[in-house]
Amino acid sequence: MAKKRKSWMNAEELAQEENIVSFHPRDMKSFYAWDGDILVLNILGTPSAKKDIIGKPKGNQLKISVTANPVGGRATDYMVKWLSKEFGVNKSDIEVVFGRMNVNKQLRIKAPTKFPRVIAKLEEKSK
């Protein structure tokens, strides 16, 4: 879960204090970016799907469908648990930056060890 920011700090001051790089979705050229060993991922989620699947990029978001119902953020919680297996990390290594109760989300995945095909292909091209 995202850290609660100090009320007297604006977003820029907080980012400077914690050495966080800001990744606003409209400023990103792709659906993912790297912040050191952290993968920043913009997602367009679809709850209540027939099956869990990582789809194709749509603009600067990656389409991800999950079978969980969108009740009180449970679909996002389920997505995090499912994605932790897909990226080879613990659930606690995935932070929902924003969008817990929205289809538009941003996740930060700490040191992923595996990649879904759509990301693996782009990583190979960038090397």
Side-chain angles (χ1 to χ4, degrees):
M1 192 163 270
K3 294 179 184 177
K4 191 172 184 181
R5 83 173 184 197
K6 299 171 186 171
S7 61
W8 52 271
M9 295 180 116
N10 66 32
E12 286 181 26
E13 291 171 329
L14 182 66
Q16 287 175 348
E17 179 183 274
E18 297 186 8
N19 295 324
I20 297 172
V21 177
S22 177
F23 289 96
H24 195 283
R26 72 171 169 251
D27 297 334
M28 291 175 64
K29 295 178 183 167
S30 177
F31 62 89
Y32 79 101
W34 287 98
D35 181 12
D37 69 340
I38 297 174
L39 177 66
V40 180
L41 192 61
N42 291 326
I43 294 173
L44 176 60
T46 303
S48 305
K50 290 184 179 181
K51 62 181 181 175
D52 300 328
I53 190 165
I54 297 174
K56 296 180 180 179
K58 182 177 182 181
N60 64 346
Q61 292 180 302
L62 180 63
K63 292 171 73 174
I64 297 180
S65 301
V66 293
T67 55
N69 293 324
V71 179
R74 289 187 189 141
T76 300
D77 295 342
Y78 176 85
M79 181 185 289
V80 166
K81 182 178 178 181
W82 180 67
L83 287 176
S84 69
K85 295 172 190 167
E86 295 293 310
F87 285 94
V89 297
N90 293 323
K91 269 189 338 187
S92 60
D93 292 331
I94 299 179
E95 175 188 2
V96 179
V97 179
F98 63 80
R100 185 166 181 272
M101 295 192 189
N102 193 312
V103 296
N104 300 302
K105 306 175 187 313
Q106 187 174 84
L107 304 180
R108 292 176 61 89
I109 304 171
K110 184 178 178 184
T113 59
K114 300 188 318 186
F115 296 102
R117 189 178 327 189
V118 67
I119 295 175
K121 284 181 182 179
L122 292 173
E123 283 293 296
E124 282 299 315
K125 286 181 183 178
S126 68
K127 288 183 179 180

